[in-house]
Each structure stands twice: as structure tokens, then as C-alpha cells.
Amino acid sequence: MTNPLFDTLLAPHLGSDAPFVIHPDGTTQTYGAFMINVNRAAGALAQCGLRKGDRLALQAEKSVEVLEIYAACLMTGVLFLPLNTGYTAEEIDYFLGDAEAGAFICSPSREAEFAPIAARHNTKLLTLSKSGSGSFSDIARACAPLETAVACGPDDIAALLYTSGTTGRSKGAMLTHANLLSNAEVLVDLWQITQSDRLLHALPVFHAHGLFVAVNTTWLSGSSMIFHPAFNIDNALAALPQASTMMGVPTFYTRLLDDARFGKEVVGNMRLFISGSAPLLAETHAQFEERSGHRILERYGMTETGMNTSNPVAGERRAGTVGHPLPGVTLRITDPATGAAVAQGDIGMIEVAGSNVFQGYWRMPEKTAEELRADGFLITGDLGRIDDEGYVHIVGRSKDLIISGGYNVYPKEVEMVIDDVHWVRESAVIGAPHPDFGEGVVAVVVLVAGAAADMVALTEVISTRLAKFKQPKKIIVTEALPRNTMGKVQKNVLRDLHRDLFARKA
Ligand code: MLC
Ligand code: AMP
């Protein structure tokens, strides 16, 4: 095989009449039709001057065309760099510059906004609309399709996925062909995904969950997916009777439970509900079983590693746990201060190693060395323990991270934006329990002595500079931030103080 990832996931579908995508209106796209477009998209990448190792950034509404471009990147060795559709121009500026993207595909509605940024970074700017039209599609339609995959080895980088960090500066996680292939193979086997499965796909395709976990396993198994542009409760309820599997963040499950129409009647064909990206409350697990008869399978992953652990399909799916390490993944719990292994059952830092673990952060060797040990174990920043039956429990995080509706928000990044405002002396950003998003972003702000707060201006600054999901849902002005004797802000004190800020829905 010259390109094992492409040859395993995609090449077998050439000419196939089997259904790949089922649109909400019931129309179906076959694998064969999809592959013709993949070859065209690969031809277009070459026509745009992109070669193996170059970076293609993409910020576009979810569509099958996005998947065609992702597949074309795997075929040509061009690094796929998908970006959250909510990112502001300032955020995009950083990604294009840091990745030195050769080309950037954006929505036509934002072309004018991004043109000067792309020009500054010497990045070719192309467009793709949610209906699949745009300058990239024009090139793909006119160019010669690429028929032969470019040779790529297991350690070649397939994708660059940016994740924020505690310093506030996003880091590009380099995922290799071997990372993606090994994870897809393990998951298809473990979750018993077969050609007859039909996945309800309502996740975004710019993150590991919706892209690698959902799409790569679909390709590998030759199964199909009902493809929704986003999670919408009415559409999800209408599609569930035709689906056999669903992958979602906990918010999907709490929204289903909040709807009186959800019950056993709509899940008659369902085989497996999978949850991840954020903690699923044991209470949600129990309520879901009561209403639907299904025990949600919870698994645990990270952008840097893909999936690490999973509850079983056949055995007991234990609420409040993320199951066992996947075959091929070694998971250990260590003392965060010393790195030494803790006693069985004790709480410590979760570290993982295996063929799923990424190669490091793009052009940040020091950051890579801080998190990836010499023996190949990644320090996840998640705190957990392993119980007597080998189930992994995640009990907290050592990293200062908020997970809101499955999206990661690093407080530092938000604090830096707020602290730039001249009348703000300092700020602390925390997550408070939120009935819909799990955690909601809250900013606690201290004013410069004698200054008055201009909340309209502050909100304006935040919304210009930060994607919507990072923006605080509540801003609280306070006299002073609580500090310990070392002068460090006590975020735990703030979290306790504001734990009831987002009252549970009646
Ligand atoms: C939307 N909003 C959010 C938000 N999503 N705010 C905070 N957190 C979020 N996650 C904003 C909207 O812009 C809107 O603002 C308001 O909140 C309410 O919007 P909504 O219509 O209710 O939200 P919706 O569009 O339905 O989106 C919610 C969601 C979505 C949960 C469906 O966020 C989502 O699909 N999340 C999935 C994230 C994901 O895929 N994570 C995987 C990461 S990979 P306003 O002011 O306009 O009302 C990973 C590895 C692993 O973690 O293990 O999988
Ligand atoms: P991301 O960087 O977006 O990939 O987010 C990875 C982080 O999401 C992990 O380090 C965990 O903190 C969290 N996470 C993913 N799955 C779970 C889960 N099932 N339970 C708790 N936290 C999870």
C-alpha cells in the first residue's frame, strides 16, 4: 500500500453503490459518487499548488464537500486544518500565520473580511458555501481528477488540529496517518460497527469527535450516516427512528431528555448511543436509560490522542466512568508532582501512550516536551483513578480548562482579551455548572480604581475578538479576586461562590 490510511478507509469505496450520506430530505449519496468528488477535490488541491506536507486551512459550514476535501487531503498528503466556524478574523489570522497555510477555504460570506489576512500570510484564499458552491468547487469541477493516491507513510502528518492551551496560545496538534488509522480500526472493532449501521451525525466536522471518530469509523466500516448540519432537537427526533447509532456530546443527551417527545418509540432501530468530549453526569445516564431503555456508552478522548478509553458494547457500561483503555492504549495514573505511579485506586494524573498518541505540537518543541514524556506517555491534564475492575473514572482536571457544550475554552485566552480593556485591572474566568452546556463561561472582573464599568463596550470587544462559544455568558464585577498566600487567584473559591449562577431549567 502506498498510502495505507487512504487505501484502507477510502479506496475500497471506488465505484461502490452503497449509501454513504443520507441527507435530512431523504436523498442519498453513494460511496461511489462521493469518491468521484474526492478525486476531483484532490485534483483541485494539486491545481492550487498544494503538495504533500503543505497545509490547507478550512473554515466552512458543515457539508459533504468538506468531507470530500478532508478525504482529498488524506489522498494527497496535504495537511487538513479544519477550523471552528465561529472563529473571528483575529483568531483566523493566528491560525493562518502559525500554520503557514498554503491555502484557506472559507465561506463566501466572509471572503472580503479574510482577503487582507490571507494576502498578508501569502495564503491562497478560496471559498466553499454550505450548498457546495464556491471558487474551490469551480476549480474541482474543471480540473483533471487525481486517480492515484500520493505515497504517505504511517508517520506522515494527516491533520493539524488546533487546541488552545493554558498560556492562551493555540497549539496545532499533529495527527499522523498511523494515529488516525489505528484509532479507527480499534473503534470499529470495539463498537461493532458494520456496513448495516446508520449513524446520526449532528456534530461539527472541525473537531476530532465529529471528524475522526464519526467519519473515519463510517468509512472504515462502509456504513452510512444521516448527515445533519448541526444538532437541532426537532431534526434529531425526526431522524432517530432511521438511525442505529448516534455519537454526541452530553448536551445532545440532556436536550433529548428535556423534550417530552423523546422516548422508546423513537429509538426502535437504535443499537448504540455514544457520548464523549465532556463528562456525562451519572444522573443523565440513569435518566436516559429510564426513558429510552438504552445505556449510553461513554468514552474518553482528546484532540492529541483520539480515543483513549471506552465502556464496552457487550459488558457493563458503568455510569460515571469512561470504561477501559482501548486495545493498544496504555493508561497509567501518576502523581502530578513527581510523575511516579500512584497506588491502585488512588487519584492522579491520567497519562496515555499508544499508536493513537500524536506526534507533538506544530513547531512548538518545548510545549511538546512539557506534555509528551520521553517514554511516549502524554500527560493529559485530566485527573482520574482506575477502580478494581479496571474502569477509568475522570474526577477532575489539573489544567485550567472549561468545557462548554463539548467545546474547550481556556480561561487565559478570555482573560487576556478582557484585561486589554483599559478600565479593567484584572479578571478571572471560570466555568460554572450549566444545565445545557455542562459548564458555562463566567468572567469575574475587577475595575481599575475609580473607573466605571462600560459593559456594552466590554461585550463588544469580547465579541469582536473571541468566538461565540468562548464569550462569557455572565460577567460579574467584583472588588477583588480571592488569592492564596502565594498571591495566586483561588479559582476554586470563585467556582464555589458562583456555582448556582446558571439556575437549572424548571
Ligand atoms: C453554541 N453556543 C455555545 C455553544 N454552542 N455557547 C457555549 N458553548 C457551546 N458549546 C452559543 C450560540 O452561539 C448561541 O449564542 C447560544 O450559545 C445558544 O446556542 P444554541 O443554538 O443553543 O447552540 P447550538 O448551536 O445548538 O450548539 C450547542 C451544541 C454545539 C452543543 C449542539 O455547541 C455542539 O455541537 N457542540 C459539539 C462540540 C464538539 O463537537 N466537541 C468535540 C471536541 S473533540 P447566542 O448568544 O447567539 O444565543 C474532543 C475530543 C473528544 O473533545 O473526546 O471527543
Ligand atoms: P479536546 O482538547 O477538545 O480534545 O478535549 C479533550 C478533553 O475533553 C479531555 O482532556 C477531557 O478533559 C475532556 N473529555 C473528553 N471526553 C471526556 C469524557 N467522557 N468525560 C470527561 N471528560 C472528557
Side-chain angles (χ1 to χ4, degrees):
M1 283 197 225
T2 54
N3 182 332
L5 180 63
F6 182 81
D7 292 343
T8 310
L9 295 191
L10 288 144
H13 301 304
L14 269 168
S16 162
D17 286 335
F20 167 41
V21 169
I22 298 138
H23 293 284
D25 66 5
T27 55
T28 295
Q29 186 170 354
T30 66
Y31 268 105
F34 176 76
M35 289 306 295
I36 289 172
N37 292 339
V38 171
N39 291 354
R40 287 201 181 117
L45 293 180
Q47 176 119 344
C48 293
L50 294 170
R51 301 282 174 268
K52 181 179 170 184
D54 291 342
R55 277 76 57 203
L56 172 78
L58 176 147
Q59 185 198 40
E61 294 297 328
K62 183 176 173 182
S63 67
V64 180
E65 286 76 10
V66 171
L67 301 186
E68 290 165 2
I69 294 168
Y70 163 50
C73 285
L74 301 184
M75 185 177 184
T76 54
V78 170
L79 276 59
F80 187 58
L81 194 176
L83 294 164
N84 192 316
T85 46
Y87 285 146
T88 62
E90 180 173 325
E91 289 164 321
I92 294 292
D93 194 354
Y94 172 78
F95 297 123
L96 296 187
D98 189 67
E100 289 183 38
F104 173 41
I105 302 179
C106 72
S107 151
S109 62
R110 298 188 74 181
E111 187 179 12
E113 183 189 359
F114 293 143
I117 298 171
R120 189 150 26 82
H121 295 299
N122 212 5
T123 301
K124 189 177 176 67
L125 187 62
L126 298 152
T127 59
L128 178 72
S129 76
K130 65 176 167 212
S131 62
S133 61
S135 57
F136 182 82
S137 311
D138 293 343
I139 298 171
R141 214 172 299 114
C143 76
L146 190 79
E147 307 287 354
T148 314
V150 172
C152 288
D155 293 334
D156 282 325
I157 302 164
L160 209 51
L161 257 58
Y162 275 80
T163 75
S164 295
T166 37
T167 58
R169 211 172 143 225
S170 285
K171 304 164 287 185
M174 299 186 286
L175 278 318
T176 65
H177 280 239
N179 294 150
L180 302 188
L181 184 55
S182 64
N183 222 224
E185 286 177 333
V186 164
L187 296 177
V188 165
D189 191 46
L190 199 78
W191 294 341
Q192 301 171 14
I193 306 174
T194 67
Q195 202 178 3
S196 53
D197 271 314
R198 194 179 274 189
L199 172 76
L200 173 52
H201 192 307
L203 286 160
V205 288
F206 44 72
H207 275 309
H209 195 167
L211 188 64
F212 302 146
V213 186
V215 175
N216 290 358
T217 56
T218 299
W219 285 342
L220 182 61
S221 58
S223 52
S224 57
M225 55 192 188
I226 306 173
F227 201 61
H228 285 188
F231 184 82
N232 166 283
I233 188 70
D234 294 330
N235 297 341
L237 285 167
L240 273 174
Q242 286 87 50
S244 69
T245 56
M246 185 180 97
M247 295 182 192
V249 295
T251 300
F252 286 19
Y253 293 100
T254 51
R255 286 189 182 181
L256 285 170
L257 285 171
D258 277 346
D259 197 297
R261 294 168 293 175
F262 178 69
K264 294 203 167 83
E265 317 68 52
V266 288
V267 297
N269 280 321
M270 197 49 116
R271 183 176 73 78
L272 192 59
F273 284 102
I274 301 172
S275 176
S277 307
L280 181 80
L281 296 179
E283 167 196 325
T284 309
H285 195 278
Q287 286 170 1
F288 199 85
E289 182 175 15
E290 199 182 308
R291 281 272 286 285
S292 70
H294 281 269
R295 288 178 74 78
I296 299 170
L297 179 151
E298 185 171 9
R299 83 333 175 253
Y300 158 59
M302 264 181 100
T303 300
E304 287 88 338
T305 62
M307 298 303 100
N308 293 314
T309 72
S310 173
N311 271 281
V313 167
E316 186 198 347
R317 296 176 208 158
R318 198 168 283 182
T321 83
V322 292
H324 303 98
L326 299 177
V329 175
T330 311
L331 186 147
R332 68 186 182 198
I333 310 283
T334 59
D335 180 330
T338 64
V342 300
Q344 162 59 31
D346 282 2
I347 291 172
M349 175 68 72
I350 299 178
E351 298 190 13
V352 290
S355 50
N356 58 319
V357 175
F358 78 146
Q359 219 175 57
Y361 296 111
W362 173 257
R363 293 182 183 165
M364 288 189 184
E366 307 80 22
K367 284 270 154 223
T368 303
E370 275 171 29
E371 294 178 31
L372 202 52
R373 293 190 190 278
D375 62 0
F377 276 81
L378 177 80
I379 305 166
T380 62
D382 293 309
L383 300 173
R385 67 180 175 89
I386 304 177
D387 69 20
D388 288 344
E389 286 163 279
Y391 285 81
V392 177
H393 301 237
I394 298 179
V395 300
R397 294 174 209 131
S398 71
K399 50 192 173 190
D400 192 13
L401 163 71
I402 301 166
I403 305 184
S404 171
Y407 287 140
N408 288 4
V409 182
Y410 274 90
K412 183 78 186 165
E413 193 181 355
V414 185
E415 289 161 2
M416 286 191 323
V417 168
I418 296 175
D419 292 350
D420 266 357
V421 173
H422 67 91
W423 49 262
V424 170
R425 195 172 87 206
E426 59 176 352
S427 64
V429 169
I430 53 163
H434 191 287
D436 188 32
F437 293 125
E439 288 181 279
V441 179
V442 177
V444 184
V445 176
V446 179
L447 308 188
V448 166
D454 180 349
M455 286 310 187
V456 176
L458 178 58
T459 310
E460 170 71 20
V461 169
I462 292 172
S463 57
T464 320
R465 298 187 56 188
L466 294 172
K468 186 99 208 180
F469 70 91
K470 298 179 193 169
Q471 297 171 18
K473 303 239 179 261
K474 291 251 162 79
I475 301 177
I476 295 161
V477 174
T478 188
E479 294 275 298
L481 298 177
R483 292 184 187 274
N484 63 15
T485 48
M486 311 287 287
K488 196 169 181 286
V489 175
Q490 290 169 303
K491 290 205 168 175
N492 52 333
V493 173
L494 289 174
R495 279 191 284 266
D496 280 349
L497 202 62
H498 299 299
R499 65 168 50 258
D500 296 323
L501 206 55
F502 303 108
R504 189 152 265 286
K505 277 179 275 182

